[in-house]
Amino acid sequence: MNLTPFFLTFKLALCATVILTAIGIPAALWLANRRSLLASGLEASVALPLVLPPSVLGFYLLLMFRADGPFGAVWERFFGHPLVFNFEGLVLASVVFGLPFMVQPLVAGVRSIPKELIEASTTLGKPWWTTLVRVVLPNMKASILTGCVLAFAHAVGEFGVVLMVGGNIEGETRVVSLAIYDAVEALDYRSAHVYASVLFAFSFLTLLAVYRVNRRFFSA
Amino acid sequence: MIEAHLEKDLFGASGPFRLSVNFRVDDGQCVTFYGPSGAGKTTILRMLAGLETPQEGFISVNGELWFDARKRVLLPSRKRRVGFVFQSYALFPNMTVGENVAYAMQKTSAVKLEDLLDLAGILELKDRYPSTLSGGQQQRVALIRAISREPMILLLDEPLSALDVSTRLELQDEILRIHRLLGAATILVSHDKQEVFRMADMVLSIKEGRIHAEGSPREVFFKRRFSPKFAVTGRVLAIERADIVFRAFVSTGTEMLQVILGERDAKRFKPGDEVLVASKAFNPMLLPLFEPFETKELRQVCQAGVGYID
């Protein structure tokens, strides 16, 4: 029984979640109270992974990440190795694919904060970063947690994009979801069962945790 | 002292109008902006606090220029020393009462914090969260939070309109006490005449963005053709025919009155009109509202009434 796919999956999901949190919070703050066409456009782009088949997104990411693609060429010049069929490429693809799962709860969280709280903090003489750290973020804890858990869980479960961009390379890009596919193809149903049931239990438990936490926050 | 001239195009319920006001509030004075909702009262307060920017004019507080459209001066909101109290209290739900007040203090000092909380009689609420407090308690906290950064002016945006009558009266006293303690210029936005009467040294009555009356509450609200001995303000709820006369139902705050009208008067008023119920001809009797009547007293009242009819 090969456990590497589990470690890889966990590492991938953790990296993607950390990056997504760092991108997601400023993005949500910017998006939440804008009405411009640009903001709507960005919000629509962020939500695209929800509706597109993973293969479509995976295909375009593959073209971008390729050594002669616009993004891949720059990457290779800076880091000396290609982005496709590589763990870093997988992380980037997961970040793109996980955007809506992080950004949408965060935008909802920012919008749920009454404008008066921010104005009160301002009239009390606080600069915007103090308001952000002491008032805005603490009052959207539930949204931040939801975003992190959903992004993490989604990165764990991703299949299509990971297959297109990562290429199913043992020890580098073969995450659990791909390992299941391989095991089934090799008629190794026992391994497939182990991988699948762990993923199944994990997904259920994370979702359960999200709903529990939100219920507690909203009833308080 | 606040001196301001403010102009801005606003959009009201009945279409666009231009807010254009000029006023001065001295230190130690409590001034009320009174008027219907959508008249621009709150906007003026928000402009003073720097939460909105006027298109034209200036704001000067104790000689400091906070805003001047021509000189292109605009002091950011956080640099204006104002105490702003919101209608919705705007307490930070993630902080306890003590933390809310401490957040506003320039230098955190446990002693000063307790003094401030004690001042408003909310020391025992120090470790409670806002969501566990009543509306009146929350507004007390908001008031103390607003003054704990030692503001030069105190701005209150309909602070009591969400509270019940008895809490409102208590907090009116509280606000007056704090206002006198602070000695600063205080501006209160209100659409409650009783509140204005109790609290304000001066009223600026605002309609459609203009000050259309100013003076003491007595001057502004009783500038009428005659001086009634007995008068309450109210709103006509309904007018109905009763044989040859008309009967108007008027609500005055918590009470309902019936007034008999002739046909000509009945045509002058319609439901929704604000009216003054007044009388010069007799002295209305005042009876205790909450103490139960003594039977003897009641009998005397009855006898007096009978005597009068006789």
Side-chain angles (χ1 to χ4, degrees):
Chain A
M1 182 77 219
N2 183 0
L3 289 182
T4 325
F6 281 116
F7 293 123
L8 258 182
T9 304
F10 185 74
K11 198 168 107 186
L12 171 69
L14 198 67
C15 291
T17 307
V18 169
I19 296 173
L20 275 171
T21 313
I23 302 174
I25 288 175
L29 291 172
W30 192 87
L31 280 174
N33 298 312
R34 303 277 143 130
R35 282 171 200 202
S36 64
L37 186 64
L38 179 69
S40 307
L42 272 175
E43 215 171 351
S45 321
V46 164
L48 267 182
L50 288 177
V51 289
L52 278 181
S55 49
V56 172
L57 207 69
F59 173 64
Y60 285 119
L61 285 175
L62 186 64
L63 290 186
M64 296 244 299
F65 287 2
R66 259 175 18 174
D68 54 351
F71 202 74
V74 177
W75 181 276
E76 208 166 332
R77 177 171 310 160
F78 274 97
F79 297 97
H81 59 83
L83 200 48
V84 281
F85 308 135
N86 186 299
F87 183 74
E88 280 101 332
L90 215 55
V91 171
L92 278 184
S94 295
V95 165
V96 173
F97 210 73
L99 270 174
F101 300 94
M102 177 62 86
V103 172
Q104 286 188 348
L106 289 184
V107 168
V110 177
R111 283 186 184 145
S112 74
I113 292 176
K115 202 179 67 178
E116 290 89 40
L117 291 188
I118 294 161
E119 290 179 344
S121 180
T122 312
T123 60
L124 293 172
K126 302 300 174 198
W128 68 266
W129 61 87
T130 309
T131 306
L132 176 69
V133 173
R134 304 242 354 238
V135 177
V136 177
L137 295 182
N139 284 308
M140 51 182 283
K141 265 184 296 193
S143 307
I144 297 173
L145 194 69
T146 305
C148 286
V149 172
L150 287 182
F152 189 90
H154 195 261
V156 166
E158 182 41 46
F159 178 78
V161 169
V162 164
L163 186 65
M164 296 286 275
V165 178
N168 197 7
I169 294 162
E170 165 64 28
E172 182 69 31
T173 59
R174 183 176 296 158
V175 291
V176 177
S177 56
L178 299 185
I180 296 171
Y181 185 76
D182 275 0
V184 172
E185 273 210 315
L187 296 176
D188 179 4
Y189 278 37
R190 204 183 135 266
S191 297
H193 261 310
V194 175
Y195 290 137
S197 56
V198 169
L199 220 52
F200 190 95
F202 171 80
S203 304
F204 178 74
L205 288 177
T206 45
L207 289 176
L208 185 70
V210 169
Y211 286 119
R212 275 315 290 172
V213 165
N214 276 337
R215 192 151 301 188
R216 245 204 15 237
F217 269 108
F218 287 117
S219 63
Chain B
M1 187 181 70
I2 310 168
E3 277 181 289
H5 169 69
L6 304 168
E7 299 221 8
K8 187 170 191 171
D9 292 319
L10 296 180
F11 204 83
S14 55
F17 64 94
R18 189 162 178 89
L19 176 77
S20 172
V21 292
N22 235 320
F23 59 89
R24 192 184 126 155
V25 184
D26 289 320
D27 279 349
Q29 214 180 14
C30 179
V31 169
T32 303
F33 293 152
Y34 171 85
S37 57
K41 311 181 299 280
T42 297
T43 307
I44 299 173
L45 220 57
R46 292 171 58 82
M47 286 173 172
L48 290 173
L51 298 171
E52 258 172 72
T53 310
Q55 285 160 337
E56 299 289 335
F58 71 92
I59 299 168
S60 153
V61 175
N62 296 353
E64 277 179 38
L65 202 57
W66 282 6
F67 169 76
D68 193 315
R70 240 177 272 148
K71 292 184 194 158
R72 299 191 163 271
V73 176
L74 179 65
L75 195 69
S77 184
R78 68 190 171 85
K79 295 209 171 135
R80 301 184 185 192
R81 273 177 48 206
V82 299
F84 199 105
V85 176
F86 295 82
Q87 186 181 358
S88 60
Y89 324 129
L91 296 178
F92 305 123
N94 57 314
M95 300 181 199
T96 62
V97 168
E99 287 165 351
N100 261 284
V101 177
Y103 181 79
M105 286 162 55
Q106 246 117 19
K107 278 186 202 138
T108 324
S109 139
V111 180
K112 203 182 149 208
L113 174 63
E114 299 216 332
D115 281 351
L116 276 169
L117 294 175
D118 204 24
L119 176 76
I122 49 171
L123 189 55
E124 70 275 19
L125 304 178
K126 190 179 163 210
D127 297 318
R128 297 256 299 266
Y129 281 92
S131 59
T132 68
L133 304 181
S134 71
Q137 288 171 325
Q138 289 193 48
Q139 201 55 300
R140 270 171 208 272
V141 178
L143 203 59
I144 287 300
R145 186 180 69 176
I147 63 160
S148 66
R149 71 169 302 213
E150 295 157 18
M152 298 204 279
I153 56 175
L154 192 57
L155 305 173
L156 309 158
D157 184 13
E158 306 215 15
L160 309 178
S161 59
L163 300 173
D164 62 73
V165 178
S166 63
T167 317
R168 207 182 300 168
L169 291 176
E170 256 176 60
L171 270 155
Q172 284 169 358
D173 290 338
E174 188 73 38
I175 290 174
L176 278 178
R177 200 161 66 93
I178 283 171
H179 160 67
R180 285 182 194 128
L181 209 71
L182 206 63
T186 297
I187 298 180
L188 170 78
V189 166
S190 178
H191 61 243
D192 177 353
K193 270 190 184 153
Q194 291 175 20
E195 190 167 293
V196 176
F197 237 95
R198 270 195 90 192
M199 311 207 35
D201 303 315
M202 187 167 81
V203 187
L204 303 180
S205 178
I206 296 173
K207 248 183 208 157
E208 296 254 295
R210 313 252 160 190
I211 298 174
H212 77 109
E214 70 179 284
S216 72
R218 199 172 295 275
E219 285 163 3
V220 170
F221 294 144
F222 284 102
K223 206 193 285 169
R224 296 177 209 284
R225 279 160 293 147
F226 67 116
S227 61
K229 292 287 175 289
F230 159 80
V232 288
T233 59
R235 193 175 286 278
V236 178
L237 294 177
I239 296 176
E240 60 177 42
R241 183 182 274 281
D243 297 328
I244 54 160
V245 291
F246 289 81
R247 197 186 284 148
F249 295 90
V250 180
S251 106
T252 62
T254 54
E255 296 300 317
M256 285 263 288
L257 300 175
Q258 272 185 58
V259 181
I260 303 298
L261 301 175
E263 189 167 355
R264 219 182 57 188
D265 280 339
K267 279 184 184 151
R268 270 173 62 200
F269 299 110
K270 59 182 188 306
D273 282 354
E274 262 203 86
V275 291
L276 187 75
V277 183
S279 165
K280 287 186 84 164
F282 70 97
N283 282 328
M285 224 170 346
L286 280 187
L287 295 171
L289 188 56
F290 295 112
E291 292 163 41
F293 288 119
E294 293 288 329
T295 340
K296 201 179 89 193
E297 237 179 289
L298 191 62
R299 200 175 304 130
Q300 277 173 348
V301 171
C302 291
Q303 279 167 352
V306 171
Y308 186 71
I309 289 167
D310 280 346

